[in-house]
Amino acid sequence: MNETPAQSNGRPIAERVATRLLYPTSRPRAKTLREAVDGKVVLVTGASHGIGKASARKLGAAGAIVLLVARSADDLRQVAAEIEADGGTAHVYPADLTDMDAVERLARQFLDEHGHIDVVINNAGKSIRRSISDSYDRFHDFTRTIDINYLGPVRLLLTLLPDMRERKQGHIVNISTWGVLMPPAPQWAAYGASKSAFDVWLRSVAAEVSGDGVATTSIYMPLVHTRMSAPTDFSRVPGLTVDEASDLVCHAVTTRPREIAPWWSAPVQAWTNLTRNQVQRFFERGRSLLPGSSSRT
Ligand SMILES: NC(=O)c1ccc[n+]([C@@H]2O[C@H](COP(=O)([O-])OP(=O)(O)OC[C@H]3O[C@@H](n4cnc5c(N)ncnc54)[C@H](OP(=O)(O)O)[C@@H]3O)[C@@H](O)[C@H]2O)c1
């Protein structure tokens, strides 16, 4: 594709500059990533598309034994084939993470077949943007987001955590969203509540398991241009590519920080805590300007 002078990497230069300033990312050195993951068993949920797929490929290329989970078996097999073509090792586990019995069976299968899990990348997720007036007859929007974004990962970790604690090692990386650090945005009730639920769960559990050598990292991911964000028109909003987002995941795996968040989120949080009522009024005044609902399905 020919790029115009005002474009770079398929994106307008202004957007790339804004993205660099708002969400600086850096790619871990290949040697550093390899030292961190070579021979380690790394589970990636939601590995068939988007951020999970890109992360699984980079971790696999760096020598991790990658366990790939999602519903689309063919897509997972394709990702595994790509990892193996790069010289890596990948195992495919097609599963619906909203089926709690299946999730428990799957977690036991991981332990039976691989002995242990070193790193869990909790990435599978579903986003819905829908106004409350469009949701009165859609209770299932709330159950399906809570199932995949909260209950599924809780069910998975309840089975994996005892082994990690006993071995005194493990790392859980959660792909959260910067939205949970901000005042609740209109139309994101189902998604925001479900992502916040797991964020709180993990941070609470982190305090209990860190003494047993189990680290946790919450990545408060900014907008990433994927099939998930595509139904909402974010085309002109600065956001990361999946390549940049997966660099953040690899950075989390190598350095194991408690959290990774945009640099401006702490001051914005402090300011919004001070001006909570005004922010709420701002959202209330702006509701007539909001676009319609959007979700991939
Ligand atoms: N894109 C963004 O702007 C953004 C921003 C902040 C945070 N995030 C978070 O980043 C994560 C990945 O999002 P993405 O943008 O990469 O989305 P994506 O391209 O739609 O990928 C979502 C992944 O989750 C899997 N998945 C969904 N439902 C599942 C289920 N019931 N059981 C098993 N796997 C399931 C999907 O695979 P199958 O369909 O094959 O099952 C897919 O691999 C999500 O947790 C999202 O909340 C995204």
Side-chain angles (χ1 to χ4, degrees):
M1 191 175 73
N2 288 335
E3 292 189 331
T4 65
Q7 288 204 323
S8 157
N9 236 351
R11 288 190 289 172
I13 283 177
E15 189 199 324
R16 277 196 67 74
V17 171
T19 305
R20 281 265 143 246
L21 291 174
L22 288 170
Y23 317 119
T25 56
S26 63
R27 174 168 299 185
R29 289 170 53 220
K31 184 168 171 276
T32 313
L33 184 58
R34 178 162 286 278
E35 279 167 4
V37 301
D38 194 19
K40 296 270 169 67
V41 183
V42 180
L43 165 62
V44 183
T45 69
S48 57
H49 295 100
I51 301 165
K53 173 180 173 176
S55 304
R57 286 206 55 183
K58 286 182 185 172
L59 293 163
I65 299 158
V66 197
L67 314 187
L68 308 170
V69 178
R71 290 164 301 182
S72 323
D74 288 346
D75 292 334
L76 286 184
R77 279 192 280 272
Q78 176 64 33
V79 178
E82 289 167 8
I83 290 172
E84 278 154 16
D86 286 342
T89 307
H91 301 270
V92 166
Y93 294 91
D96 183 344
L97 295 172
T98 66
D99 176 342
M100 301 304 151
D101 292 338
V103 176
E104 188 189 355
R105 277 197 304 277
L106 185 67
R108 296 203 183 287
Q109 189 181 351
F110 294 147
L111 296 177
D112 287 348
E113 293 180 5
H114 302 281
H116 66 274
I117 303 276
D118 292 294
V119 183
V120 176
I121 314 283
N122 176 53
N123 166 79
K126 165 140 196 80
S127 127
I128 295 176
R129 182 174 67 83
R130 182 161 285 127
S131 71
I132 199 65
S133 40
D134 284 343
S135 306
Y136 297 145
D137 58 353
R138 296 183 62 92
F139 181 64
H140 61 282
D141 278 354
F142 299 89
T143 54
R144 61 189 180 149
T145 44
I146 210 81
D147 282 351
I148 184 63
N149 296 335
Y150 175 52
L151 293 174
V154 169
R155 181 56 278 187
L156 184 71
L157 290 170
L158 288 179
T159 305
L160 297 181
L161 266 173
D163 177 73
M164 287 182 163
R165 295 181 83 179
E166 205 174 308
R167 293 179 66 238
K168 303 258 179 264
Q169 63 187 59
H171 185 197
I172 300 160
V173 178
N174 179 36
I175 313 303
S176 188
T177 164
W178 70 284
V180 309
L181 302 175
M182 298 292 122
Q187 301 193 345
W188 292 96
Y191 180 65
S194 61
K195 293 296 274 189
S196 298
F198 188 73
D199 181 62
V200 172
W201 185 88
L202 187 64
R203 287 190 293 121
S204 171
V205 168
E208 295 182 55
V209 300
S210 62
D212 293 333
V214 180
T216 63
T217 302
S218 302
I219 304 184
Y220 297 101
M221 198 64 93
L223 172 70
V224 185
H225 295 292
T226 64
R227 65 174 195 167
M228 178 182 284
S229 54
T232 305
D233 184 14
F234 285 131
S235 52
R236 282 191 218 103
V237 179
L240 301 182
T241 61
V242 285
D243 186 43
E244 291 164 332
S246 60
D247 283 342
L248 280 183
V249 175
C250 293
H251 174 64
V253 173
T254 51
T255 59
R256 298 165 48 125
R258 277 202 183 78
E259 62 175 60
I260 297 176
W263 59 267
W264 41 264
S265 58
V268 171
Q269 258 182 311
W271 178 75
T272 50
N273 281 341
L274 287 172
T275 58
R276 224 178 154 93
N277 290 339
Q278 286 95 321
V279 171
Q280 188 69 25
R281 272 204 292 279
F282 169 78
F283 279 144
E284 285 164 13
R285 274 203 302 274
R287 72 177 189 277
S288 57
L289 304 174
L290 290 171
S293 307
S294 67
S295 158
R296 211 167 52 80
T297 51

